[in-house]
Structure formats: C-alpha cells, structure tokens
Amino acid sequence: MSEMTEVTVMSELMEYVKRVSDATNEALERVLPAESVYPSSIHKLMRYSSFAGGKRVRPCMVMAAYEACGGAFGDEKALKAAAAIEMLHTFSLIHDDLPCMDDDDFRRGKPTAHKAFNEALAVLGGDALCILAFEVLASVGRIDVISEIAVALGTGGMIGGQVVDIESEGQKADMATVEYIHMNKTAALIRASIRCGALLANAPADTLKQLTSYGNNVGLAFQVVDDVLDEESTTETLGKDAGSDAEKGKATWPSVMGIEESKRYAGELIEKAWADIEFLGAKGKILKDLAEYIRVRIS
Amino acid sequence: MSEMTEVTVMSELMEYVKRVSDATNEALERVLPAESVYPSSIHKLMRYSSFAGGKRVRPCMVMAAYEACGGAFGDEKALKAAAAIEMLHTFSLIHDDLPCMDDDDFRRGKPTAHKAFNEALAVLGGDALCILAFEVLASVGRIDVISEIAVALGTGGMIGGQVVDIESEGQKADMATVEYIHMNKTAALIRASIRCGALLANAPADTLKQLTSYGNNVGLAFQVVDDVLDEESTTETLGKDAGSDAEKGKATWPSVMGIEESKRYAGELIEKAWADIEFLGAKGKILKDLAEYIRVRIS
C-alpha cells in the first residue's frame, strides 16, 4: 500500500473508530448509574475508570463484525454488547493495576482507580463493572452471547492468562508460556468481541469460524504490538510507565524473540487475519483496516 | 411450639439441608475445573473456598422455593442455579476477607483464601467464581434468572451493601444505615435465591410477590442473627474471630439496638416471613422450617 493510500485508510478508519467510540460512550452513559446514586463513591469510581480515555478497540470489533455480517451500525443490541464488553475490559484493568497484582499507579496518563480512590473501592468497583456487564448482556436477551463472553473471561480465558502472567514474573518465561498468556489475557476477549458481533447478526457457522480465526490473529497481534510499544515508547507518549514490563520481568514478546522479530511476527499475524476475512470482500473493509491499524502503530 | 416438636422439625429440616448440600456439592464438583487443569493454582483456590464448609443456606432457599412452586427436588436447572448462587456467595466472601476490606485471616475455621494462597490469586479466584457462575447460569438458559441475580449482586444490591459497610466502619452508623447495609449485603442475594427457585418453577406473579417479601424478611433476620452470634459466641464455636465486628466498629444490629432487642427483632422478622408464605399451606413447610431454623440459632 502506498503511503498516500495508507493515510486515507487511516483517516477513514479513525472516523469509524470515533463514531463507535461516541456511540459506546453514550451507551455507557445510559447504563452506568449516575454519580449521585447512593452509594456515590463506587459509582464515581466506575465512571472514572470507564471514561478514562480508552480507545474502545473492543466495541469497534463488536460493531465491525456486526456490520460485516449484515447488522446495521448502532443497533441497540450491538451497542449494549459493545458497552458491556468495554466494562468487562475496564474491570480487568482495575484489578490488574491493584498493588497485589501489577501495582501500577498510572493508566492512560491518569492515576489508577486504587490511587484515585482506595484499594477496597477498586476491588468492589471492578466487581461491580463485571456484574453490571452481565446485567446489560441479559437485557440483550441472547444466552449464546452471555455464554461466549463468560467463557472468554474465565480461567480458560482472560483470568487464566492473568494468573500465568503474574506467576511468570521474573521467571524467564519460554515462548509457549508467552503465547498462552497473551492468547488468553488479551486475545480471548478480542475474539469474543468479534464473535459476539457476528452472533448478534446471526452469522452462519462458516463465517463464525473464519471470524474466530481473525479474532485470534488480531488479538495476539494487538498484544505483540503493545509489548513492542512498551519497550520502545517514553512514559509521556504511553500514558503509563514505559519499559515497566521489562522492569517487572514480565513475559513479553520482545523478551522471548527480540524487538525486530516481534514486529515481523505482528505483521505475519495481521496478514493471516486479512486472509481469514478475504471471503467477506467489501463487507470486510473495516475489519481489514482495524487489523492494519494495529500494525501501523509500530511500523 | 413444644420443645419436642421443635426438635422433630429441626431433625427433618437438617435432613433436607443435608440433601441439598450434598446435591449442591455434586453440582459444584461438576462445574468447577479440576485442580489439575492449567493454571492449577487458581482452580485449587476456587475449590478450596467452595468446599470450605459453607452451610449452603442459599442453595436450600433456591431448592425449597422451587419445590414449593411445583418443581421436583434435584432438577438440573435448579441445582445449577443453586451451585451458581453458592459460587457468587463464595466470591463475595473471598473479596470481603481481603486485607484491603475486612482483613480476616480465618473463615469457617480455615485460613481465608488470601492467607492459604496469596492476595493476587484471591482477587482473581473471586473474579473467576463470579464469571463461572454466570457461565453456569447461561447454561440454564433463563435470561430472567441471570438478570435477577445480576441486579441482586450489583451496586443496588450486595456490592452496594458492602461499600456502605466498609465506609461506615467506626462511624457509629444509625439504624437506617445498618438496615441499608444488611438489606443489600445479605438479604439481596437470599431474596434472589428464593425468587430464582420460584422463577425456574414458573411461579405466577402473586406467588413471586409473596416470596419476595419472605426473602427480604428471612434475609434480614439471617443477618440480625449473624450479628448477635458474632457478639455472643466464642471464636471456637464461630470459626472466625468472635466479636470482631464490634472491634472493627462495624455497623451491626446489636450496636444500634442492643442484643435483646436484636433477638426480638429477628423473631418479629421470622413471624412476618411465616405470614408471607401462609398461602402455600403444606407446600411451604420447608420454607417455614428454614425461617425457624434461622431464629433457633439464637433462641
């Protein structure tokens, strides 16, 4: 792709991301209790963390998959699922940042929940976002979507990845362990976002299968890129302590295959993701651009 | 009721509690991943806390309401709901015991999860039990039950009660605050247990309404009795630090109305619960005995 075309793709995609982000924020605004609702402190925390400047990657995945499978942009059920998945992502960040876990003071350039409030409220606020997400998902009325997300979050998914991530700290993890951590900690919820969009649009089984593979490839690429950015960026551009993964002896892709090889691997995963959705043709354009967007961050 | 009759009631009820407890344990055995499943540590913790000797009060409520509304003992859907609710109760205990919350070292005579394992794993193990509970509930296939439980757990229910409980420590809470804490922290999930049993048996609206009131009365009585026991018992009989609520300046019923008045209030709540289910006649026997069982603990 020429540089000129790349810029055009990105500006079109950025507009899409902005539209999803705005719609997701409106949905979150509707489902999160107001700060004034008793007990106020926890609702303040839930809103503080939910509106802390996340890029809404997962809502974009839900909506792009929903549209690619014939759904209309902004349909209530897809928006509710997007908002619920974003709340689940926020819940995982709040708990990951706790002193007994990654012990991070900053996230997206702002104090983490337990710093801005306190530890007890951060634990309960994370719990409450997780529970509210299932309440919102129940209001969509699709058992298959609830099941999909619960499985992706559990010990065979996101939580399992986080357990191994923490237990591998300072252990010089091998490649299989790094892959396990990121397939579960990061890719599982991204894959579930894609699959939920497709399920809500009642996509046929073979489409779901291809999108599942796309979700795994994009999800893994996302984490490889994140690790590279953590290694290469300054604290200022990243909004959190740069190089903090390496300092903590975290199992990262650069730590097992080096920076250059990590970049090459991310590119390879994106190519695979593109191949997965080639059958969608023009309907897959946003999904294709989303994958490219992930790669461009480190190119 | 004469002393002799009371003993008979209790031995019949104890047999029922044992049957539900055994069936719930078998259901938990089926849905909880084996300890050997990777990552092993979190599955060990989830099983450690799930089989730590809980009395399975909430599963009894699910099953008794299910039977009272025409369901058959031990039906798969009722058992799954009972196991899920017990996992949610365990999740709340694990997080409540954390150092940043109630900081308890013992629960039911055994070291708490963060003591037996570590804090990070206790946070994640609680999260995983909450998520697995929703996965199990999804397998029951009833959106109304999922919604019921999510609402009972959230900031308008259990979590909200826990927030106010923590924020009221050492504050000399008034009666309205004590009532808010316990209606939400304890009664909300007990009421939801009753309602889920009734929903699964497709109970009509007026039955649900009566059982909701029963659930509130029994749920509140349960907490009043728990507070009285905490004041009166020794550490040995209680399995946790006796009088620890008072030491922490917790908002308890004895702290706002004294021990004797608390006992009288518990009795009054049980009488109300009985009146709520009088219309069930013989079908409400177990629910009646369960309410009596709660009162007898302090009589």
Side-chain angles (χ1 to χ4, degrees), chain A:
Chain A
M1 203 184 294
S2 76
E3 238 177 79
M4 196 55 210
T5 330
E6 202 166 87
V7 169
T8 316
V9 165
M10 285 305 108
S11 88
E12 269 174 36
L13 181 68
M14 286 305 94
E15 203 165 304
Y16 187 80
V17 170
K18 173 86 169 56
R19 278 170 68 210
V20 175
S21 183
D22 288 349
T24 304
N25 289 348
E26 281 165 30
L28 286 169
E29 191 59 57
R30 284 193 295 275
V31 297
L32 285 164
E35 290 195 353
S36 58
V37 174
Y38 187 79
S40 182
S41 53
I42 194 164
H43 297 135
K44 281 185 184 153
L45 184 146
M46 289 163 79
R47 285 177 166 267
Y48 173 84
S49 294
S50 295
F51 297 115
K55 293 179 294 294
R56 314 302 190 203
V57 170
R58 290 155 196 80
C60 284
M61 294 290 178
V62 174
M63 199 55 81
Y66 182 69
E67 284 194 278
C69 297
F73 184 93
D75 276 353
E76 187 65 10
K77 59 186 173 181
L79 266 184
K80 278 184 169 176
I85 288 174
E86 192 65 12
M87 285 194 281
L88 290 165
H89 174 56
T90 304
F91 138 68
S92 78
L93 298 182
I94 293 172
H95 282 191
D96 281 6
D97 287 337
L98 287 169
C100 66
M101 303 256 232
D102 290 356
D103 194 16
D104 279 316
D105 292 352
F106 289 92
R107 161 82 62 187
R108 297 166 183 161
K110 291 174 70 174
T112 44
H114 64 275
K115 285 304 223 180
F117 296 82
N118 62 61
E119 235 180 292
L121 216 54
V123 172
L124 292 170
D127 292 347
L129 282 168
C130 176
I131 292 160
L132 181 58
F134 281 105
E135 186 186 331
V136 171
L137 288 173
S139 77
V140 174
R142 288 280 296 253
I143 288 286
D144 55 350
V145 168
I146 297 172
S147 183
E148 175 76 31
I149 289 173
V151 171
L153 286 176
T155 60
M158 190 182 76
I159 298 277
Q162 173 66 356
V163 168
V164 178
D165 185 27
I166 282 183
E167 293 182 346
S168 303
E169 256 181 45
Q171 301 279 311
K172 280 224 158 282
D174 58 16
M175 193 152 330
T177 305
V178 173
E179 180 154 358
Y180 174 88
I181 291 171
H182 297 135
M183 270 310 267
N184 289 282
K185 187 175 170 168
T186 310
L189 192 56
I190 289 182
R191 182 187 60 226
S193 303
I194 300 282
R195 283 179 52 90
C196 285
L199 287 170
L200 288 171
N202 302 313
D206 52 346
T207 300
L208 255 176
K209 196 181 156 207
Q210 290 298 111
L211 285 176
T212 303
S213 178
Y214 166 88
N216 281 330
N217 285 317
V218 163
L220 202 49
F222 187 79
Q223 185 62 51
V224 177
V225 168
D226 222 50
D227 285 354
V228 170
L229 286 174
D230 186 82
E231 244 345 81
E232 287 194 330
S233 301
T234 63
T235 300
E236 201 179 333
T237 57
L238 207 60
K240 60 179 181 181
D241 298 338
S244 63
D245 289 349
E247 260 169 50
K248 285 175 191 151
K250 281 270 184 195
T252 67
W253 291 96
S255 76
V256 288
M257 52 164 69
I259 291 256
E260 287 315 311
E261 182 59 15
S262 296
K263 288 184 179 179
R264 194 205 55 73
Y265 183 44
E268 184 189 312
L269 290 165
I270 296 303
E271 299 277 344
K272 281 189 188 170
W274 281 352
D276 289 329
I277 54 166
E278 214 175 350
F279 77 101
L280 285 169
K283 284 186 297 174
K285 186 174 182 312
I286 298 287
L287 288 172
K288 194 176 175 214
D289 291 352
L290 275 169
E292 170 69 2
Y293 169 54
I294 287 166
R295 195 188 59 76
V296 163
R297 291 162 74 206
I298 51 165
S299 66

Side-chain angles (χ1 to χ4, degrees), chain B residues 62 76-86 136-137 140 145 196 200:
Chain B
V62 173
E76 187 66 11
K77 59 186 174 182
L79 265 184
K80 278 183 170 177
I85 288 174
E86 191 65 13
V136 170
L137 288 173
V140 174
V145 169
C196 285
L200 287 170

Side-chain angles (χ1 to χ4, degrees), chain B:
Chain B
M1 203 183 296
S2 75
E3 238 176 78
M4 196 55 209
T5 329
E6 200 167 89
V7 169
T8 316
V9 164
M10 286 302 110
S11 89
E12 268 174 37
L13 181 68
M14 286 304 93
E15 203 166 304
Y16 187 80
V17 170
K18 173 84 169 59
R19 277 169 70 210
V20 175
S21 183
D22 288 348
T24 304
N25 289 348
E26 280 164 31
L28 286 169
E29 190 59 57
R30 283 194 296 274
V31 298
L32 285 164
E35 291 195 352
S36 58
V37 173
Y38 187 79
S40 181
S41 53
I42 194 164
H43 298 134
K44 281 185 183 153
L45 184 146
M46 290 163 78
R47 285 177 166 266
Y48 174 84
S49 294
S50 296
F51 296 115
K55 292 179 293 296
R56 313 303 189 202
V57 170
R58 291 154 194 81
C60 284
M61 295 289 179
V62 173
M63 199 57 79
Y66 182 69
E67 284 193 278
C69 297
F73 184 92
D75 275 355
E76 187 66 11
K77 59 186 174 182
L79 265 184
K80 278 183 170 177
I85 288 174
E86 191 65 13
M87 285 193 281
L88 290 164
H89 175 55
T90 304
F91 138 69
S92 78
L93 298 181
I94 294 173
H95 283 191
D96 281 7
D97 287 337
L98 287 169
C100 67
M101 304 256 232
D102 289 356
D103 194 15
D104 279 317
D105 293 350
F106 289 92
R107 160 82 61 188
R108 297 166 183 161
K110 291 175 70 175
T112 45
H114 65 275
K115 285 305 223 180
F117 296 82
N118 62 62
E119 234 181 291
L121 216 53
V123 172
L124 292 170
D127 293 347
L129 282 168
C130 176
I131 292 160
L132 181 57
F134 281 105
E135 186 186 331
V136 170
L137 288 173
S139 77
V140 174
R142 288 281 296 253
I143 288 286
D144 55 351
V145 169
I146 296 172
S147 184
E148 175 77 31
I149 290 173
V151 171
L153 285 176
T155 61
M158 190 183 77
I159 299 277
Q162 173 66 358
V163 168
V164 178
D165 185 27
I166 283 184
E167 292 181 347
S168 303
E169 255 181 46
Q171 301 279 310
K172 280 223 161 281
D174 58 15
M175 194 148 334
T177 306
V178 173
E179 180 154 359
Y180 173 88
I181 292 171
H182 297 135
M183 270 311 268
N184 287 283
K185 188 175 169 168
T186 309
L189 192 56
I190 289 181
R191 181 186 62 226
S193 303
I194 300 281
R195 284 178 52 90
C196 285
L199 287 170
L200 287 170
N202 302 311
D206 53 345
T207 300
L208 255 176
K209 194 180 158 209
Q210 290 299 110
L211 285 176
T212 304
S213 178
Y214 167 88
N216 281 331
N217 285 319
V218 163
L220 202 50
F222 187 80
Q223 185 63 50
V224 176
V225 169
D226 221 50
D227 285 355
V228 170
L229 285 174
D230 186 82
E231 261 317 275
E232 287 194 329
S233 301
T234 63
T235 300
E236 203 180 331
T237 58
L238 208 61
K240 60 178 181 180
D241 298 339
S244 63
D245 289 349
E247 260 169 50
K248 285 174 191 154
K250 282 270 184 194
T252 67
W253 291 96
S255 76
V256 289
M257 51 164 71
I259 291 253
E260 288 315 311
E261 181 60 14
S262 297
K263 287 184 182 182
R264 195 205 54 73
Y265 183 44
E268 184 188 312
L269 289 166
I270 296 301
E271 300 276 345
K272 281 189 188 170
W274 280 352
D276 289 329
I277 54 166
E278 215 174 349
F279 77 101
L280 284 170
K283 285 187 295 174
K285 187 175 182 312
I286 298 288
L287 287 172
K288 193 175 175 215
D289 291 352
L290 274 168
E292 169 70 2
Y293 169 53
I294 288 167
R295 195 188 58 75
V296 163
R297 293 162 72 205
I298 50 165
S299 67

